[in-house]
Amino acid sequence: MRTSIATVSLSGSLTEKLTAAARAGFDGVEIFENDLLASPLTPEEVRARCADLGLTIDLYQPMRDIEAVPADEFARNLRRARAKFAVMNRLGADTVLVCSSVSPLAVDDDALAAGQLARLADLAQDFGVRVAYEALAWGRHVSTYDHAWRIVETAGHPALGTCLDSFHILSRGSDPKAIGDIPGEKIFFLQLADAPLPAMDVLQWSRHHRRFPGQGGFDVAGLLRHVLRAGYDGPLSLEVFNDVFRQAEAGPTAVDARRSLLVLQEEVGLGALPPPVVPTGVAFAELVTPDAEPVTSLLGALGFARTARHRSKPVDLWERGEARVLVNTGPATLPHARRGPGGGTAADGTRLAAVGLESPDPAGAARRAEALLTPVLPRRRADGDAPLDAVSAPDGTELFLCATNRPQLPDWRADFTDLPGIAAARDGVRIDHLSLTQPWHHFDEAVLFHRAVLGLDAQESVDVADPYGLLRSRAVSTADGAVRIPLTVGAAPGDDTAHARHIALGTPDVVAAARRFTEAGGRLLPIPANYYDDLAARYEFTDAELATYRELGILYDRDAHGVFRHCYTRTVGRVFIELVQRDGGYQGYGAANAPVRLAAQHTAR
């Protein structure tokens, strides 16, 4: 019997996955859509590559949220499907996987689902494509294989069959005996996987993935209130089983644990901490580098001007609009060495080492940090230097508590001497967000730190596909978005070393900003053409608009609030710049585009 493997099961670029499958002796592959979208190869080139390797393309997957939806939504789905089928023809794939819908628009109507799947199969048949319908274990209305088969049988279309997946069947405890009642010719595809038994889930969760209060999603404070109202007056004791904590240093972990209890007691009214002082903006981002030329060339092409020089340290201030970047070329130090502003650089190349946060009360923010076991860092000050306090985040990033042009408060800007005759453009550019890659064993600690010490709100954690695995990301921000910091970590020790940090610059017109950058000699990250083919299938653009996005490598996303357009510079050392345009109150960070960006950066490296 022939063998096949889904490209999503393997790490690396699509080319690397195909080569690995062929070398292992597989006869064919399932092409996972994200792998194609992130590949610089055209569908025709992927088809030729598979042929050269002796691989057939047995399935293209997945197509989601198609059936049992309102007529206008289904019309959009057919438009999307037509584009997918055209891509499949270019690939030479003749079977597509359609997952049972998880869309909130889907209704519990088997007749409607069967009718719409039959119409989808009609369209597929015009392209020489078959549709394999699969029940996701978490499908909104269709979650078992026998239910999916009843819908396929009702539809009665020759180009519509079912896909059987061992995980989705066995994870729900379904009896596979009834598979024998399905005609063999209507089983269009079989996917096999194993997994721990369901009885192990909570046990594994308990023994390996517990976290300290405030780092997860449980309402620990609500529980504690009930306990206290019952009259409990004993100790608050932590019992946390966590593989990460067991591999990290005991000292920092104990500090993190104690901090979590201090915050928990604050939430329930036990004990008093200095109140949180929420930052109001980003004063500056500091890049440290052993070689200023690549950094200053990048900033210059982005329209920044070198406006000032530190009075006593090799640090230059670059400005554009409201965005400020410090470029530090001091003597090399260890990456996480404690230092004062301008105190040194890392030997491993350019990196984002410090952030200045605008604070309405820097002294109060420092008191809050110290009460939560985050001491103010020692700083070497020259005569006349501003008394600027900084604390160290768990990953070693220095966070300076700043006041810029604020009466009666020390101004860090006073440490710099203006360069004569140079003025920065005042055009609305600002620092939109700062993406900080975290060491794998500090991720949960970092979330709690930014929430508790800085008073930022934490959003839900998301997983982002990378060519070599998954990245976990969780953003912290102020309520008004004045400070946004996505925190990202790899899935295992060492994963963080491959991923650069970046500064996102907000601009009112990302297309104009990208053009100015390229005209000034800057290089934007190229994005595969497959991404734009898919974008055109998902959204409607004018030909000129889509051509502009292709030309400049601009990515596109939208949420319930608005639209997000963004593009990326090439990486310098371990830093790159993102240009972003938020319209209509868009809240996110373009996470849907992250797999394509990460793959493009991998290709560029």
Side-chain angles (χ1 to χ4, degrees), residues 33 60 62-67 73-90 93 95-98 116-131 533-534 536-539:
E33 184 176 68
Y60 187 68
M63 190 178 293
R64 304 182 187 276
D65 300 333
I66 291 291
E67 82 286 3
E73 181 68 14
F74 185 64
R76 285 190 286 270
N77 289 344
L78 286 181
R79 177 181 178 272
R80 172 163 56 99
R82 181 180 296 275
K84 303 296 184 190
F85 297 155
V87 169
M88 290 177 63
N89 282 175
R90 296 167 65 192
T95 305
V96 64
L97 176 68
V98 173
Q116 291 184 344
L117 286 172
R119 290 178 60 191
L120 178 71
D122 272 334
L123 178 61
Q125 195 169 45
D126 292 341
F127 287 84
V129 169
R130 304 188 309 166
V131 176
D533 293 341
D534 180 73
R538 291 187 290 123
Y539 303 109

Side-chain angles (χ1 to χ4, degrees), residues 309-310 312-316 327-331 342:
R309 178 82 172 173
H310 197 282
S312 61
K313 297 168 185 174
V315 181
D316 291 330
V327 178
N328 183 330
T329 55

Side-chain angles (χ1 to χ4, degrees), residues 492-578:
D495 281 2
D496 57 288
T497 61
H499 300 287
R501 294 178 164 196
H502 76 265
I503 302 168
L505 299 175
T507 175
D509 188 341
V510 72
V511 170
R515 287 201 186 282
R516 284 194 296 266
F517 176 67
T518 58
E519 289 167 0
R523 299 173 65 201
L524 291 169
L525 182 70
I527 301 299
N530 296 328
Y531 169 81
Y532 296 101
D533 293 341
D534 180 73
L535 194 65
R538 291 187 290 123
Y539 303 109
E540 294 186 14
F541 301 100
T542 65
D543 291 344
E545 184 180 8
L546 191 62
T548 297
Y549 295 165
R550 287 179 186 270
E551 173 195 356
L552 297 172
I554 291 174
L555 298 102
Y556 180 95
D557 191 32
R558 66 171 62 163
D559 62 13
H561 307 282
V563 168
F564 191 61
R565 299 173 179 87
H566 56 136
C567 59
Y568 300 89
T569 71
R570 296 295 185 100
T571 302
V572 175
R574 295 189 64 188
V575 176
F576 60 94
I577 306 295
E578 179 183 10

Side-chain angles (χ1 to χ4, degrees), residues 305-308 418-424:
R306 187 169 72 98
T307 59
D418 290 339
L419 298 177
I422 299 178

Side-chain angles (χ1 to χ4, degrees), residues 22 135 188 230 253 319 383 410 438 505 538:
F188 281 4
T253 300
E319 296 183 89
D383 292 340
Q438 301 295 302
L505 299 175
R538 291 187 290 123

Side-chain angles (χ1 to χ4, degrees), residues 347-425:
D348 61 347
T350 302
R351 64 187 181 91
L352 175 57
V355 175
L357 295 175
E358 295 284 2
S359 176
D361 181 7
R367 287 193 295 272
R368 169 81 175 182
E370 291 186 313
L372 286 169
L373 312 180
T374 306
V376 171
L377 296 174
R379 178 191 174 199
R380 297 190 301 275
R381 291 191 178 95
D383 292 340
D385 280 359
L388 189 63
D389 288 331
V391 298
S392 178
D395 66 347
T397 302
E398 294 181 12
L399 302 176
F400 287 88
L401 309 172
C402 300
T404 305
N405 299 322
R406 302 273 292 286
Q408 283 112 26
L409 290 176
D411 187 351
W412 66 274
R413 186 67 176 75
D415 289 350
F416 289 78
T417 301
D418 290 339
L419 298 177
I422 299 178

